[in-house]
């Protein structure tokens, strides 16, 4: 089972579950946990191969990953903790996992907050993935990851987020990185499905105004999906919860509280 930790509130019955992105870990939510546990029950977890969810040596060479397989990992933790329904907050690739979970188990998802959300890969990001697939077995994975981090988070004010994710990614095994990278082969049809199908679950997208790869597609989708709203944080890049934690926390807590 994935590593996970809970913070139980004395009176609230509401659960909030945090899902990090590829190369990260539950530690990226430390500024959220501090604030959210004042209001809600909180569950954080490390996705397989990340943080403290390390595979055994035998499993390093087995088990190809799919979005459904990784989503089932999350569902297993929810069942273990006996959480029947939760609000979900995700960043980057975590947003895709939450959206997938809402498709598979809609009864478990009370709302979604998707930060630095990914709903479409533009030409630049498609090219990035193709180059990664060509060089993934030749170039050391940390070199690839640093390149990706710089392209996604290029500005000076993104440096903190960039370094945080690079330092977390250093804890991944090469084999784990390659398994996660192979997920990109199934990402396009999945994202196309998410864009086409509106979901009934209340959804808040929180995006940085400087998230040049992913913000344009989110704007288009929100115009057509009635249950979705978008909040754009100025002077902010992809990892909104790290770059602008106060605004992220305030807008997210207000959104969840409004649904009670």
């Amino acid at each position: 089972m994935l590593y996970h930790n809970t913070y139980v509130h004395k009176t609230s019955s509401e659960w909030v579950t945090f899902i990090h992105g590829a190369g990260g870990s539950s530690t990226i939510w430390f500024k959220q946990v501090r604030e959210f546990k004042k209001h809600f029950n909180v569950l954080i977890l490390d996705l397989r191969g990340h943080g403290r969810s390390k595979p055994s040596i035998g499993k390093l060479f087995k088990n190809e990953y799919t979005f459904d397989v990784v989503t089932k990992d999350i569902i297993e933790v929810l069942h273990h903790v006996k959480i029947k329904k939760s609000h979900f907050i995700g960043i980057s690739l975590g947003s895709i996992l939450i959206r997938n979970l809402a498709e598979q188990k809609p009864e478990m998802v009370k709302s979604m907050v998707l930060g630095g959300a990914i709903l479409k890969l533009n030409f630049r990001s498609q090219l990035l993935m193709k180059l990664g697939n060509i060089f993934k077995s030749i170039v050391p994975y940390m070199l690839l990851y640093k390149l990706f981090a710089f392209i996604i988070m290029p500005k000076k004010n993104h440096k903190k987020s960039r370094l945080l994710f690079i330092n977390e990614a250093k804890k991944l095994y090469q084999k784990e990185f390659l398994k996660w990278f192979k997920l990109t082969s199934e990402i396009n049809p999945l994202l196309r499905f998410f864009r086409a199908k509106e979901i009934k679950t209340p959804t808040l997208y929180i995006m940085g105004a400087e998230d040049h790869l992913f913000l344009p597609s989110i704007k288009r989708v929100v115009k057509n999906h009635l249950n979705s709203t978008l909040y754009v944080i100025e002077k902010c890049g992809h990892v909104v919860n790290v770059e602008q934690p106060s605004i992220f926390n305030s807008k997210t807590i207000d959104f969840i509280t409004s649904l009670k």
Side-chain angles (χ1 to χ4, degrees):
M1 185 176 294
L2 302 180
Y3 167 82
H4 59 278
N5 197 10
T6 58
Y7 302 85
V8 178
H9 193 274
K10 287 183 180 178
T11 57
S12 177
S13 60
E14 301 283 327
W15 278 94
V16 177
T17 302
F18 290 89
I19 310 293
H20 65 80
S25 77
S26 57
T27 60
I28 71 157
W29 301 111
F30 73 99
K31 288 186 178 178
Q32 281 68 55
V33 170
R34 188 171 56 194
E35 192 61 33
F36 277 73
K37 69 181 182 180
K38 297 176 186 176
H39 307 275
F40 314 106
N41 302 293
V42 172
L43 169 65
I44 58 172
L45 53 83
D46 290 339
L47 297 173
R48 58 166 62 192
H50 293 69
R52 283 179 271 189
S53 292
K54 292 298 183 187
S56 65
I57 295 299
K59 287 186 178 179
L60 266 177
F61 301 94
K62 299 177 182 177
N63 301 332
E64 293 302 319
Y65 296 172
T66 67
F67 280 104
D68 285 347
V69 164
V70 179
T71 301
K72 284 176 184 175
D73 288 344
I74 299 168
I75 294 169
E76 182 183 27
V77 173
L78 293 169
H79 287 322
H80 178 75
V81 182
K82 294 182 170 58
I83 298 174
K84 293 182 178 179
K85 198 162 193 172
S86 177
H87 302 275
F88 285 83
I89 301 175
I91 196 78
S92 194
L93 183 131
S95 69
I96 301 175
L97 294 171
I98 291 171
R99 182 67 169 78
N100 199 43
L101 175 57
E103 287 293 334
Q104 294 186 8
K105 297 285 184 179
E107 70 280 4
M108 299 187 81
V109 183
K110 195 164 187 178
S111 73
M112 301 185 290
V113 177
L114 309 178
I118 301 170
L119 275 180
K120 187 176 183 179
L121 300 181
N122 65 10
F123 175 77
R124 194 185 302 180
S125 49
Q126 295 263 22
L127 181 62
L128 190 64
M129 294 303 174
K130 285 180 181 177
L131 288 173
N133 272 311
I134 292 169
F135 293 109
K136 68 179 184 291
S137 299
I138 306 165
V139 178
Y141 85 93
M142 276 312 302
L143 197 60
L144 275 179
Y145 198 88
K146 286 177 182 178
L147 174 63
F148 295 163
F150 187 79
I151 291 172
I152 295 169
M153 301 169 269
K155 296 197 173 185
K156 277 187 178 179
N157 56 306
H158 307 164
K159 185 177 179 181
K160 185 178 178 182
S161 301
R162 203 162 56 233
L163 291 177
L164 176 64
F165 270 77
I166 288 169
N167 287 334
E168 284 297 319
K170 286 177 182 175
K171 300 172 188 176
L172 282 174
Y173 296 114
Q174 172 93 2
K175 291 280 184 184
E176 283 296 310
F177 174 83
L178 294 176
K179 286 180 183 180
W180 277 93
F181 198 85
K182 284 179 181 177
L183 276 176
T184 59
S185 64
E186 65 169 287
I187 201 171
N188 279 326
L190 190 64
L191 295 184
R192 197 177 303 120
F193 172 73
F194 291 162
R195 292 195 304 274
K197 184 186 176 186
E198 181 171 7
I199 197 164
K200 292 180 180 178
T201 308
T203 304
L204 171 65
Y205 292 96
I206 301 188
M207 305 293 292
E210 298 168 353
D211 194 350
H212 57 289
L213 290 184
F214 306 117
L215 178 58
S217 61
I218 301 298
K219 286 181 175 178
R220 288 192 294 271
V221 166
V222 168
K223 285 181 181 178
N224 299 316
H225 289 193
L226 298 177
N227 291 312
S228 299
T229 55
L230 168 64
Y231 185 83
V232 179
I233 304 176
E234 297 300 321
K235 297 180 181 177
C236 183
H238 184 60
V239 192
V240 285
N241 68 301
V242 172
E243 289 184 41
Q244 296 286 353
S246 296
I247 298 173
F248 183 89
N249 293 349
S250 173
K251 293 298 176 183
T252 302
I253 289 171
D254 286 349
F255 172 71
I256 293 173
T257 304
S258 73
L259 300 172
K260 287 184 180 178

